[in-house]
Amino acid sequence: MDLSRRAIVAAGVAGLSGLGAAPIAWAADQPFFARTGLPIGLQLYTLADQAQADLGGTLKAVAAIGFKSIELAGYAGRTPAQLRAAMDAVGLSTPSAHVQVQARGGESSLDGDLSRLADEAHVLGVRMIVMPIFYTPERFDLKPKAGEAFGQVLGRVGGAMTADDWKFNADFLNAKGAALKALGLKLAYHNHNAEFSPLAAQAGGKPGARNGYEILLANTDPAAVSFEMDAGWVAAAGQDPFALLKAHPGRFVAMHVKDIKASTKPNFVFVQDPTEVGSGKIDWPRLLPAAHAAGVRDFFVEQEPPFAHSRLESVGISFDYLSKLRA
């Protein structure tokens, strides 16, 4: 709580004490997720290989840790009906799903049949579709160079994208967001750190947006497009998640609760030193209430490799920290 809220609470307690009232367990003194009534979710990407191999066992373990919701990143080789049955069996819901941007592998995509995608989302109980990465212009070669991981390929491509490329992405989001809204779904965009790569001066020497993320925020329709902040990737880019929330109230509706070590050097090429939530540099007691005040209602734990523990142990550590966090 800030000082003004503390003063209000103190005044209320004093007034009630004067009336002989019994002590009250104020909601603000409860852990953040308990007092907001929001579930702690998990982005299933963190356990992708396990879910692919043993979906039922993985979801059972996730529910046993205490998670109440998951965010999908693909269908783990199952049909939407099979996924829904597996989630229902252990009491998990999936309000949100990352969907590939460009079609591959037979799964639905944002540049494909949106009616099919909407039907699948409704089977799953999904209410928000998330675009997990920017649309890659066709002129770029996505073949890795020697010693280059695929994330670094995307970072290299993102750094080479122009203002027009980012405006194309904004237009793409607007069109897909409007179409999905008509089908009863919301659309959000999820960031990495390539979006924050500095742009060169605009044509004619006129100042423009500093990076692609600013273009996405400025050129998308708030009625059709929201944003899912990946706090770990924002921090890995050397950006301030608090400043983003403050500058764009109401635009962020979901958050990836991802932590990074202080050893992470600011970059725009998909590099970070990951760790469990609460073990890194992000000020979660401050950030979670700020995100909630700005409109975020879905929080999903996510962690990038490499892991110091087994993946299930790591998400359990993060859950334990968040379930007790007073903020």
Side-chain angles (χ1 to χ4, degrees):
M1 291 187 296
D2 59 26
L3 291 177
S4 60
R5 287 187 61 200
R6 287 188 184 278
I8 292 170
V9 170
V13 171
L16 288 172
S17 297
L19 295 174
I24 294 176
W26 291 93
D29 290 332
Q30 297 178 9
F32 172 80
F33 285 97
R35 73 175 177 81
T36 59
L38 297 174
I40 303 174
L42 174 70
Q43 166 51 258
L44 203 58
Y45 158 82
T46 311
L47 305 175
D49 290 344
Q50 292 170 248
Q52 186 84 18
D54 180 11
L55 179 65
T58 300
L59 294 183
K60 183 178 180 180
V62 168
I65 289 171
F67 290 101
K68 300 299 183 184
S69 68
I70 58 172
E71 182 178 54
L72 295 174
Y75 294 162
R78 273 70 169 184
T79 67
Q82 289 171 331
L83 267 172
R84 179 63 185 266
M87 291 187 297
D88 286 347
V90 294
L92 289 171
S93 65
T94 180
S96 177
H98 282 207
V99 173
Q100 59 188 356
V101 184
Q102 293 153 290
R104 69 178 189 278
E107 286 193 5
S108 292
S109 64
L110 282 168
D111 69 347
D113 184 349
L114 293 187
S115 294
R116 172 193 167 190
L117 174 59
D119 289 343
E120 293 172 350
H122 294 317
V123 168
L124 290 163
V126 165
R127 51 180 166 76
M128 185 170 71
I129 300 297
V130 180
M131 180 169 162
I133 189 68
F134 47 84
Y135 194 109
T136 305
E138 293 182 1
R139 70 179 186 277
F140 288 107
D141 181 5
L142 295 180
K143 183 178 180 180
K145 297 180 179 180
E148 192 176 45
F150 189 64
Q152 292 171 303
V153 175
L154 290 175
R156 170 169 51 81
V157 169
M161 285 171 60
T162 66
D164 285 341
D165 292 327
W166 290 112
K167 287 176 182 176
F168 170 85
N169 270 268
D171 291 341
F172 181 84
L173 282 162
N174 284 331
K176 301 305 177 182
L180 288 171
K181 185 176 181 180
L183 294 168
L185 295 167
K186 296 179 181 180
L187 177 65
Y189 181 83
H190 164 272
N191 66 278
H192 289 82
N193 60 350
E195 292 88 344
F196 299 96
S197 181
L199 288 172
Q202 306 301 295
K206 296 179 181 179
R210 292 174 297 176
N211 56 56
Y213 203 59
E214 287 189 0
I215 291 176
L216 295 180
L217 282 160
N219 291 275
T220 48
D221 178 4
V225 181
S226 298
F227 288 81
E228 177 178 63
M229 179 187 289
D230 189 309
W233 283 121
V234 169
Q239 301 293 308
D240 181 0
F242 299 97
L244 276 175
L245 290 167
K246 184 176 181 180
H248 305 282
R251 296 307 307 274
F252 295 96
V253 298
M255 175 174 283
H256 278 187
V257 183
K258 177 184 294 178
D259 218 338
I260 60 173
K261 296 177 182 177
S263 56
T264 302
K265 296 179 181 179
N267 72 93
F268 311 108
V269 290
F270 287 67
V271 175
Q272 62 174 252
D273 296 332
T275 188
E276 290 76 24
V277 179
S279 301
K281 65 181 288 185
I282 296 179
D283 186 357
W284 296 109
R286 180 182 169 218
L287 183 56
L288 292 180
H292 187 265
V296 175
R297 292 296 180 270
D298 289 311
F299 295 87
F300 301 105
V301 170
E302 186 183 40
Q303 188 170 334
E304 303 286 344
F307 289 77
H309 311 276
S310 76
R311 293 187 179 225
L312 270 174
E313 286 176 320
S314 285
V315 298
I317 291 168
S318 293
F319 180 89
D320 186 60
Y321 169 79
L322 290 169
S323 66
K324 298 173 182 176
L325 178 63
R326 298 179 183 276

